């Protein structure tokens, strides 16, 4: 069951990356641009969460 969940998550990530590429080319439909926007937002949120946890673990604000 766990493998199926990870496989589904991998398909979603790859689909999001494909939509980002498609939107960057400029000829993507509206739904693909929306998926690309959501993918980029998710990556920004994950990056900021990673930076925040790293700064807490290191012991201070920089």
């Amino acid at each position: 069951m766990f493998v199926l969940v990870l496989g589904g998550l991998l398909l979603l990530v790859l689909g999001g990356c494909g939509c980002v590429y498609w939107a960057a080319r400029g000829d993507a439909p509206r739904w693909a641009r929306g998926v690309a926007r959501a993918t980029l937002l998710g990556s920004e949120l994950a990056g900021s969460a990673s930076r925040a946890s790293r700064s807490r673990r290191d012991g201070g604000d920089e």
Side-chain angles (χ1 to χ4, degrees):
M1 182 67 178
F2 186 68
V3 173
L4 290 175
V5 171
L6 285 178
L9 184 62
L10 179 63
L11 285 175
L12 285 173
V13 168
L14 291 175
C17 291
C19 285
V20 169
Y21 175 74
W22 196 8
R25 288 184 45 195
D27 59 347
R30 181 179 290 177
W31 66 267
R33 290 192 305 264
V35 171
R37 193 173 298 125
T39 302
L40 292 174
L41 178 64
S43 70
E44 286 293 323
L45 291 174
S48 67
S50 175
R51 283 189 294 273
S53 70
R54 193 177 320 128
S55 70
R56 274 195 308 268
R57 189 179 55 229
D58 290 344
D61 295 336
E62 294 182 21

